[in-house]
Amino acid sequence: MAEGEGSGAEDRKPKSDEARSAFAVPHGVGVEPEAVEEDQPTSEFAVPDGLASVAVEPEGSAFATPHTYSAAHSPPAYTGPPGLPVTRLKESPWQDRMRTVLRMPVDVRPVPEPSQRLAVETGPAVGRVLDLTLRIGELLLSGGEGAEDVEAAMFAVARSYGLDRCEPTVTFTLLSITHQPSLVDDPVSANRTVRRRGTDYTRLSAVFALVSDITAHEVDISLEDAYRRLAEIRRNRHPYPGWVLTGAAGLLAGAASTLVGGGVLVFFAAALGAVLGDRLAWLCAGRGLPEFYQFVVAAMPPAAMGVALKMTDLDVRSSAVITGGLFALLPGRALVAAVQDGLTGYYITASARLLEVMYLFIGIIMGVLVVLYVGVQFGSNPQPEDVLQIEQRPLLQIAASMVLVFTFAILLQQERSTVWFVTLNGGIAWVIYGALHYAAKMPPVPSTAIAAGLVGLFGQLLARHRFSSALPFVTAAIGPLLPGSATYYGLLLIAENRLNEGLASLTNAAAIALAIAIGVNLGSETSRLFMRIPGAASAAKRSAAKRTRGF
């Protein structure tokens, strides 16, 4: 009680002038209670007079989603001091635009302008857009497209439908994409596994045309229309029937045998061996055998035809029969894609592709070595030195190289309108190689690299002209440059127990194959290097090499 009384007495003491607030009402001034409350100091964030009817946003967390946010008009993740222009580059292909954006850091990427109309109330359908993006990426990756171009296509589709904060990821068998709506919302991720691979460049070109239309501002494609076109692309049959593909494989082997010095009889023998090998490979594929065994079986008939001709008394180049069969089997398409992924920084995908090439190459070696060993046991006397003695017949070899490229393009299921362009490109490549190797006496590796570089350059230019993938204009054109002779020469040496010399020849063949892949990639990058992308001058200063230098 004493403590309570003391407290009450202390509260009744008059306050001194120093303790009085400067905002207190002076004595003697009669003011209504309401007026006193209005004159009391308030927060500087209070609503001024006359604006009491305006709805005020309630105080909340600093990490809450802003009330002005909408999925259709999401704010940019980052804007630099000078501001970032809206990306709308109609003059350049979507591959260049998206590749430029992908090579930029995430925090300085330009704000996209969606090329397709979106529902303002609901915004983009995130799940359906991600699913469409993955399905398009699956068709591109299964068709042999490089990992960077697949990511660029997925990035382009997502941004065209309003999903600007997307990060696609491509590996050899798995596609994934993540969308971050805002800094406070949970990310949405989706993935798709690529289980089957096929070679159909007509389908690949159709997918590129679909992506080009989706990214075009003047073309209106809803999600339903995109799904419908994608379903039509999947349902379309191959442009060439099976018997045409089998005949093309035979003509390819026959043209390749002529390219390395064979005559008429060798041409037909190589063609027959390739046809038999192709049919056996189809039979194994129908029984569900892995591709490794398909290559083993496909390599045996051409090798058997060559051994049979060697055991006769006919004066023919039997080695050209086996060499022609090898040209039809060497996995040049997979090798080019593998080296391209490695040079652009996709090392996991590049390693997987190179491992695939190695397995297929070993399958070819096993098939040929088994037949050669059996032939040696039955009295066949192969002479490895005859393989590298190729007679120079310029006009006939140019014609054979163009036939080889023509049939290779048919095997790749290319559109009929692109077959003639790639045939001309392959003929030019062989002319350049022949001039450097045979006339100028340049070693085969640099000669092949220069010729392959021109193939990549011309192929990229043709692809830009037609706004399509560069693969249909490049892959078949490198056919005459494939190291069929060096590969067969190494196999013959191994069959004769000259292991060191055989491995050296196979190493030379691998060097030529890498020269082809690097030359094609360098030619493609050269065309991009000297072509300015409108509106992306700041991004063009960032070279691709800076992406993986580590600083």
Side-chain angles (χ1 to χ4, degrees):
M1 293 296 295
E3 182 179 356
E5 293 176 356
S7 174
E10 184 177 355
D11 291 340
R12 289 192 296 270
K13 291 181 180 180
K15 295 181 180 181
S16 62
D17 293 337
E18 291 79 8
R20 184 179 297 111
S21 171
F23 298 96
V25 181
H27 295 290
V29 179
V31 183
E32 295 296 330
E34 292 80 7
V36 174
E37 293 178 1
E38 291 178 358
D39 291 338
Q40 294 299 323
T42 58
S43 171
E44 62 271 22
F45 297 102
V47 180
D49 295 335
L51 297 179
S53 60
V54 179
V56 181
E57 181 180 357
E59 183 179 358
S61 172
F63 297 96
T65 305
H67 73 283
T68 58
Y69 175 83
S70 65
H73 304 285
S74 59
Y78 172 78
T79 303
L84 294 174
V86 173
T87 303
R88 188 170 183 174
L89 309 177
K90 295 183 180 179
E91 296 81 4
S92 58
W94 62 264
Q95 302 99 304
D96 293 334
R97 304 198 305 264
M98 294 302 106
R99 188 181 293 108
T100 301
V101 177
L102 278 174
R103 292 180 178 181
M104 297 173 62
V106 178
D107 57 346
V108 297
R109 287 176 179 171
V111 181
E113 181 179 355
S115 59
Q116 302 301 324
R117 291 184 297 181
L118 305 171
V120 180
E121 297 81 5
T122 60
V126 176
R128 298 193 66 193
V129 172
L130 296 183
D131 180 69
L132 176 66
T133 302
L134 289 173
R135 291 177 183 272
I136 290 177
E138 178 191 8
L139 285 180
L140 293 176
L141 186 62
S142 62
E145 193 63 60
E148 186 177 31
D149 289 331
V150 176
E151 279 197 5
M154 296 171 63
F155 200 64
V157 173
R159 288 168 72 92
S160 298
Y161 284 108
L163 304 185
D164 56 329
R165 297 184 183 91
C166 282
E167 283 299 326
T169 303
V170 176
T171 59
F172 185 60
T173 58
L174 182 65
L175 299 171
S176 63
I177 186 169
T178 301
H179 170 59
Q180 183 76 37
S182 67
L183 296 177
V184 296
D185 291 334
D186 295 331
V188 181
S189 299
N191 57 69
R192 194 172 183 88
T193 302
V194 180
R195 302 188 184 276
R196 297 188 62 184
R197 300 179 182 275
T199 303
D200 190 342
Y201 281 177
T202 300
R203 177 179 296 175
L204 187 68
S205 300
V207 177
F208 262 74
L210 174 60
V211 177
S212 180
D213 290 341
I214 290 176
T215 57
H217 291 269
E218 60 274 7
V219 181
D220 184 18
I221 299 181
S222 63
L223 280 173
E224 290 73 15
D225 295 336
Y227 269 105
R228 189 178 302 109
R229 287 184 56 177
L230 194 62
E232 293 176 356
I233 293 172
R234 285 181 175 273
R235 287 196 301 264
N236 283 345
R237 298 178 60 87
H238 299 307
Y240 308 103
W243 64 270
V244 173
L245 298 180
T246 301
L251 286 177
L252 191 154
S257 65
T258 304
L259 194 66
V260 295
V264 177
L265 181 59
V266 170
F267 177 91
F268 285 104
L272 179 60
V275 168
L276 293 176
D278 181 77
R279 286 293 90 191
L280 287 176
W282 276 96
L283 182 63
C284 294
R287 297 296 184 270
L289 288 178
E291 197 173 14
F292 173 81
Y293 300 106
Q294 298 175 28
F295 272 77
V296 173
V297 172
M300 289 183 174
M305 296 294 295
V307 171
L309 284 179
K310 186 64 178 178
M311 297 177 65
T312 63
D313 296 332
L314 298 176
D315 186 16
V316 294
R317 291 180 61 89
S318 59
S319 61
V321 178
I322 305 178
T323 303
L326 291 178
F327 269 90
L329 294 176
L330 291 177
R333 174 181 60 88
L335 178 65
V336 171
V339 175
Q340 179 181 356
D341 288 342
L343 294 177
T344 52
Y346 295 84
Y347 300 116
I348 296 178
T349 307
S351 301
R353 289 186 190 271
L354 286 175
L355 188 61
E356 179 190 29
V357 171
M358 184 187 71
Y359 271 107
L360 298 181
F361 193 70
I362 292 176
I364 297 171
I365 292 175
M366 288 182 59
V368 175
L369 279 180
V370 168
V371 176
L372 290 180
Y373 180 77
V374 173
V376 170
Q377 301 304 315
F378 279 93
S380 175
N381 185 23
Q383 297 178 354
E385 287 72 16
D386 294 340
V387 178
L388 302 181
Q389 296 176 2
I390 301 176
E391 182 182 356
Q392 299 183 24
R393 300 172 293 178
L395 296 180
L396 184 59
Q397 287 178 324
I398 292 174
S401 67
M402 297 184 71
V403 172
L404 189 155
V405 175
F406 179 82
T407 53
F408 199 178
I410 293 177
L411 287 175
L412 294 175
Q413 303 279 2
Q414 291 190 200
E415 294 178 300
R416 291 177 174 86
S417 59
T418 64
V419 170
W420 306 107
F421 290 106
V422 69
T423 301
L424 180 61
N425 196 13
I428 295 174
W430 178 257
V431 169
I432 298 299
Y433 171 79
L436 294 176
H437 181 59
Y438 295 113
K441 304 301 180 181
M442 186 178 290
V445 173
S447 302
T448 304
I450 295 174
L454 292 177
V455 167
L457 176 61
F458 295 151
Q460 192 63 234
L461 294 177
L462 289 172
R464 287 170 176 271
H465 175 68
R466 297 175 63 93
F467 284 81
S468 65
S469 172
L471 289 181
F473 303 100
V474 170
T475 306
I478 65 173
L481 305 177
L482 292 175
S485 298
T487 302
Y488 179 53
Y489 179 66
L491 296 180
L492 281 180
L493 293 175
I494 293 176
E496 292 187 346
N497 292 326
R498 298 161 64 179
L499 186 60
N500 293 334
E501 299 178 25
L503 292 179
S505 181
L506 291 180
T507 303
N508 184 39
I512 294 175
L514 290 177
I516 293 174
I518 294 175
V520 168
N521 180 265
L522 183 60
S524 299
E525 293 295 335
T526 302
S527 66
R528 299 189 186 105
L529 181 65
F530 294 101
M531 288 188 176
R532 186 174 180 271
I533 303 177
S538 60
K541 297 178 181 178
R542 300 185 58 85
S543 59
K546 292 184 178 179
R547 298 169 60 242
T548 54
R549 287 176 62 181
F551 57 87

